[in-house]
Amino acid sequence: MTQSNRILLPLAGVIGWPISHSRSPYLHEYWLNHYNLSGAYVALPVEGSDLKQVLETLPKCGFVGANVTIPHKESAFLLADQATETAKRLQAANTLYFQDGLITADNTDGFGFTENIHQAIPDYDWTQPALVVGAGGASRAIVDALLHKGAKTVYLTNRTFERCKKLASDFGNPENLILLDWSDKENVNPELGLIVNTTSLGMAGAAPTLEFAFDRMHSTCIVTDVVYTPLETEFLKNAKHHGLKTIDGLGMLLHQARPGFQKWFGAGFDPVVDEELRSRVLA
Ligand code: ATR
């Protein structure tokens, strides 16, 4: 590939293992077509033992960056030359920029989460207390985003309590991050503004559903789920049944992709997340 070809056809992709399930290629292809931009975005199946070599090679063959997904988010962060403050706080990357021979690690998962809520409820008051269920990778990004948005209190619960403690300690044990035993999660402050499931509970074909007694919650509480297959999880159905507003998890995936697209292909503009994109990615 010549230098001029590289400029004409910027390449990006999503690195993971396995990767065939990824919807990211559909969403970037949609935006590339919609905005009539040159570029291509592909799924890149990469095993852990090959990650270093792949990251060294991609920039040399026209790639301007990549998304990174399970199980490589932590390794990609460590292999990068530099990182944004968010990626440093999370010690994990979901977006890489290749520029001037350097790899920059970013993490836009928390941005995707807050933008998804913001799109549905533009005047959501981020200072309200929130409950985060689960303490895995997705939870880290969401807890970090909530704390940085100014949540007065973030309650965190996980089946394995040790992971709550580890997450809190990695964040410097902030006073407003309150850890709850799994069995106590429903005894939380009923004035919550937001409840989010970050566990895999409710995912199609996998785990059982996440049970939650929503009847104690204030009617203004918003309920969201990072699981988006199915789009309306039993957890969200249950919340809706109790009259609470729900927001599905697909938007988090769509919004987290915006910063990467903007830098790689978009000549600096912010691509739009709308119904057409949602239905294209779902189809
Ligand atoms: P991710 O990076 O997507 O968050 P993860 O790190 O594997 O994935 O975390 C999965 C989350 O789902 C964890 O909070 C996990 O709880 P444990 O830490 O106790 O494993 C949670 N989870 C998975 N299956 C669960 C189940 N059957 N009951 C309760 N929590 C479950």
Side-chain angles (χ1 to χ4, degrees), residues 70 73 133-140 157-161 163 182 197-201 203 207-208 210 226:
I70 292 164
K73 289 185 176 186
V133 181
S139 167
R140 277 176 182 260
T157 186
N158 193 53
R159 175 181 61 175
T160 312
F161 191 68
R163 286 185 92 184
W182 187 244
N197 173 39
T198 74
T199 75
S200 48
L201 289 173
M203 199 179 282
L210 172 60
V226 299

Side-chain angles (χ1 to χ4, degrees), residues 23 26 231 250 275-283:
R23 299 190 187 212
Y26 303 112
L231 202 54
L250 181 65
E275 267 314 309
E276 200 184 335
L277 173 65
R278 279 175 61 89
S279 40
R280 191 67 68 88
V281 171
L282 282 173

Side-chain angles (χ1 to χ4, degrees), residues 231-269:
L231 202 54
E232 188 175 50
T233 58
E234 289 299 322
F235 176 68
L236 293 182
K237 268 189 202 160
N238 182 14
K240 199 185 259 180
H241 179 73
H242 284 86
L244 304 183
K245 178 157 177 66
T246 60
I247 302 173
D248 69 60
L250 181 65
M252 179 173 167
L253 170 79
L254 306 180
H255 286 284
Q256 64 76 35
R258 282 166 39 201
F261 184 87
Q262 195 172 348
K263 285 213 175 108
W264 302 325
F265 308 117
F269 72 85

Side-chain angles (χ1 to χ4, degrees), residues 27-283:
L27 86 96
H28 284 279
E29 274 162 26
Y30 170 85
W31 279 332
L32 285 168
N33 288 330
H34 184 76
Y35 294 111
N36 200 18
L37 293 168
S38 298
Y41 185 103
V42 289
L44 297 163
V46 177
E47 286 196 71
S49 52
D50 294 329
L51 184 64
K52 185 170 187 291
Q53 198 182 358
V54 167
L55 291 182
E56 282 165 3
T57 307
L58 287 179
K60 297 176 186 167
C61 45
F63 277 77
V64 290
N67 286 123
V68 185
T69 188
I70 292 164
H72 300 321
K73 289 185 176 186
E74 287 83 11
S75 311
F77 167 78
L78 294 172
L79 289 165
D81 301 294
Q82 53 193 24
T84 61
E85 288 306 313
T86 312
K88 282 184 200 162
R89 286 198 305 274
L90 298 174
Q91 298 281 299
N94 77 330
T95 306
L96 302 175
Y97 306 109
F98 305 151
Q99 205 175 19
D100 304 327
L102 294 176
I103 299 178
T104 304
D106 193 7
N107 197 310
T108 67
D109 284 331
F111 170 83
F113 172 77
T114 55
E115 286 293 294
N116 189 31
I117 306 292
H118 178 75
Q119 189 169 38
I121 302 165
D123 61 353
Y124 178 75
D125 174 6
W126 290 99
T127 64
Q128 296 178 91
L131 169 66
V132 178
V133 181
S139 167
R140 277 176 182 260
I142 289 170
V143 169
D144 179 69
L146 288 169
L147 291 173
H148 276 80
K149 280 282 197 183
K152 283 195 193 110
T153 311
V154 176
Y155 297 93
L156 177 66
T157 186
N158 193 53
R159 175 181 61 175
T160 312
F161 191 68
E162 281 306 308
R163 286 185 92 184
C164 288
K165 288 209 265 187
K166 172 81 171 72
L167 190 155
S169 130
D170 288 349
F171 286 175
N173 292 315
E175 272 180 15
N176 54 342
L177 180 58
I178 312 285
L179 310 187
L180 296 174
D181 274 328
W182 187 244
S183 55
D184 279 344
K185 61 184 177 303
E186 285 145 316
N187 299 326
V188 71
N189 181 351
E191 298 295 316
L192 290 177
L194 185 68
I195 303 176
V196 51
N197 173 39
T198 74
T199 75
S200 48
L201 289 173
M203 199 179 282
T209 61
L210 172 60
E211 305 292 342
F212 198 91
F214 288 109
D215 39 353
R216 287 185 58 248
M217 292 302 135
H218 200 272
S219 62
T220 54
C221 179
I222 290 151
V223 180
T224 183
D225 202 325
V226 299
V227 173
Y228 59 86
T229 48
L231 202 54
E232 188 175 50
T233 58
E234 289 299 322
F235 176 68
L236 293 182
K237 268 189 202 160
N238 182 14
K240 199 185 259 180
H241 179 73
H242 284 86
L244 304 183
K245 178 157 177 66
T246 60
I247 302 173
D248 69 60
L250 181 65
M252 179 173 167
L253 170 79
L254 306 180
H255 286 284
Q256 64 76 35
R258 282 166 39 201
F261 184 87
Q262 195 172 348
K263 285 213 175 108
W264 302 325
F265 308 117
F269 72 85
D270 198 2
V272 167
V273 171
D274 57 13
E275 267 314 309
E276 200 184 335
L277 173 65
R278 279 175 61 89
S279 40
R280 191 67 68 88
V281 171
L282 282 173

